[in-house]
Amino acid sequence: QVQLVESGGGLVQAGGSLRLSCAASGGSFSTYRMGWFRQAPGKEREFVASIRENGVNPSYVDSMKGRFTISRDNAKNTVYLQMNNLKPEDTAVYYCAAAPLSTMKYDYWGQGTQVTVSS
């Protein structure tokens, strides 16, 4: 069973930056595609970014390209989300998720970390 624990959320002013981390344990991290998702109050969870097992070809939702950067360190079993130029509409709970090669579905989820951007 894979456990994912996010950290790094908090309160930041508009235009500021945060770096989220997601530490994985209990599985083969280097074989998982990793993703970040977010859910704002009253809205459905949405995709933010993903990164392949070897760290190449990260994928982003268009509205976050150029502001958010996903990366991973397989030696540390950790995936990161660097968020720059944050906007109030980025306020949400951010979740990381892992997709094993066997299913290619995000089968494992963290508990989430709150990001609040004030105007």
Side-chain angles (χ1 to χ4, degrees):
Q1 187 72 13
V2 178
Q3 290 83 43
L4 302 174
V5 179
E6 302 96 334
S7 61
L11 174 64
V12 63
Q13 289 188 334
S17 298
L18 283 174
R19 187 195 195 200
L20 306 183
S21 299
C22 172
S25 62
S28 300
F29 179 79
S30 62
T31 68
Y32 300 146
R33 174 171 295 186
M34 298 299 296
W36 284 98
F37 295 77
R38 69 184 187 184
Q39 187 167 20
K43 295 187 178 181
E44 293 187 354
R45 186 169 58 196
E46 65 174 343
F47 170 79
V48 173
S50 66
I51 189 166
R52 295 179 62 179
E53 304 78 32
N54 55 8
V56 299
N57 296 331
S59 177
Y60 302 92
V61 67
D62 285 345
S63 62
M64 298 168 207
K65 285 182 179 178
R67 296 193 301 124
F68 291 8
T69 302
I70 188 171
S71 62
R72 66 189 295 161
D73 185 338
N74 286 347
K76 295 182 178 180
N77 290 351
T78 302
V79 62
Y80 305 96
L81 185 68
Q82 177 68 43
M83 305 186 294
N84 298 327
N85 191 23
L86 283 161
K87 305 175 181 180
E89 52 265 40
D90 294 318
T91 294
V93 178
Y94 284 72
Y95 300 90
C96 71
L101 287 174
S102 58
T103 66
M104 291 308 296
K105 296 179 181 180
Y106 289 103
D107 292 332
Y108 304 104
W109 293 82
Q111 83 290 347
T113 186
Q114 177 71 47
V115 171
T116 303
V117 184
S118 63
S119 57

